[in-house]
Amino acid sequence: MTFPSEFRWTSAARSDTGCVRQINEDALLDAPTRGVWAVADGMGGHAVGDLASRMVIESLTKVKGASGLTNVLADARARLLRVNEQLRAEAARRQVSRIGSTVVLLITRDRACGYLWAGDSRIYLLRRGNLVQLTRDHSHVEELKARGQLTAEEALHHPAQHLITRAVGALDVLELDENTLELRDGDTFLLCSDGLSNEVSEAEMANELASGDCDTAAQRLLEIALSRGGRDNISVVVAHAEDLMASDKTQVNPGV
């Protein structure tokens, strides 16, 4: 049996150069009225990472929004594949090995959402108090963890922590992972670059997201990362879903 739902979205975004880097190579998209959010992190140590992240986000701002979730995700994927080709060509023109960017994208339609990603920018979901990382990093350290060669604690301090295995522009063929899930009333999503996830624990993320106040949560998460030294660019997007047709609306305190 299906039940009627009408989701109202609120969201907020923050991006900061941090305390160490000179340039912010992150870029983000915060478009709640279109149901599209994204974070891109230009590849550190490579030429013009800010150009790469900007091209990724500019392509996603043009994603067609009228059709169903499957078609919208396919359109986003096609646009990112074109950006990959453009970045490969630009790298060849500049005679550098690569110009690249991570990407994590969240799209919502009706009762569902879809997300796709390449690299180590992440999406988390807070649902009924439980925080889950929806994406799996495309990184050398994550591969070592998957093979049981590193613990989660060891991974935090591994010297290869920043070596990613996928990114838009990194290789001639771009591989994007993709998934979908059904929405629930009160779902809160966090999209972020590794400048946030490397500094802020999941317990702290869950604590700040719990109120459902996107603007306050985004600001507080940024402040925590900066207080830890802000060693990288920091980008955060928080998006909250409220089902206006939820049967228990009159019984639930919206602040809880």
Side-chain angles (χ1 to χ4, degrees):
M1 175 181 288
T2 59
F3 297 93
S5 63
E6 180 183 341
F7 283 96
R8 177 173 62 191
W9 286 90
T10 54
S11 64
R14 298 286 190 279
S15 188
D16 195 281
T17 305
C19 305
V20 176
R21 302 291 179 89
Q22 299 300 309
I23 297 172
N24 191 351
E25 295 184 322
D26 288 359
L28 50 79
L29 174 59
D30 176 25
T33 58
R34 296 177 53 225
V36 182
W37 301 267
V39 168
D41 179 357
M43 293 170 65
H46 297 298
V48 290
D50 54 329
L51 170 66
S53 62
R54 187 168 66 249
M55 287 176 62
V56 165
I57 294 302
E58 286 176 353
S59 74
L60 295 176
T61 63
K62 301 171 185 174
V63 168
K64 295 292 189 288
S67 53
L69 183 59
T70 299
N71 291 333
V72 179
L73 285 169
D75 183 47
R77 177 181 290 270
R79 291 176 186 278
L80 290 172
L81 292 177
R82 286 197 291 274
V83 173
N84 191 77
E85 294 175 356
Q86 292 165 357
L87 289 174
R88 296 298 288 165
E90 182 64 16
R93 188 184 71 81
R94 296 184 184 224
Q95 297 184 317
V96 296
S97 60
R98 64 183 63 86
I99 301 171
S101 173
T102 71
V103 64
V104 63
L105 168 71
L106 175 68
I107 295 176
T108 70
R109 289 297 179 272
D110 301 322
R111 296 172 56 88
C113 71
Y115 52 98
L116 54 80
W117 76 99
D120 60 357
S121 294
R122 296 177 178 177
I123 298 183
Y124 294 88
L125 167 64
L126 183 73
R127 175 177 286 177
R128 297 189 182 277
N130 296 314
L131 187 76
V132 178
Q133 182 180 331
L134 297 180
T135 55
R136 178 178 177 271
D137 292 355
H138 298 133
S139 68
H140 180 62
V141 164
E142 187 64 29
E143 291 177 357
L144 293 176
K145 283 170 58 182
R147 294 200 293 265
Q149 295 176 243
L150 276 183
T151 66
E153 180 63 27
E154 290 169 337
L156 289 174
H157 309 288
H158 195 277
Q161 180 185 17
H162 299 292
L163 289 180
I164 59 176
T165 55
R166 294 190 205 176
V168 183
L171 299 169
D172 288 338
V173 177
L174 172 62
E175 292 185 70
L176 293 162
D177 280 351
E178 180 179 319
N179 208 343
T180 60
L181 60 83
E182 188 172 339
L183 292 166
R184 296 285 185 269
D185 181 42
D187 281 353
T188 302
F189 295 86
L190 167 65
L191 291 73
C192 65
S193 60
D194 65 338
L196 183 88
S197 57
N198 287 339
E199 306 289 3
V200 182
S201 71
E202 291 192 359
E204 290 169 320
M205 293 177 186
N207 184 60
E208 298 303 333
L209 296 173
S211 69
D213 182 333
C214 298
D215 197 68
T216 299
Q219 183 64 30
R220 282 287 302 135
L221 290 168
L222 172 62
E223 289 172 355
I224 293 171
L226 288 171
S227 73
R228 304 275 161 78
R231 293 170 289 180
D232 200 351
N233 304 149
I234 306 159
S235 289
V236 52
V237 177
V238 179
H240 178 74
E242 180 186 7
D243 186 353
L244 302 180
M245 304 293 288
S247 58
D248 58 350
K249 273 296 173 197
T250 59
Q251 303 169 21
V252 177
N253 183 338
V256 176

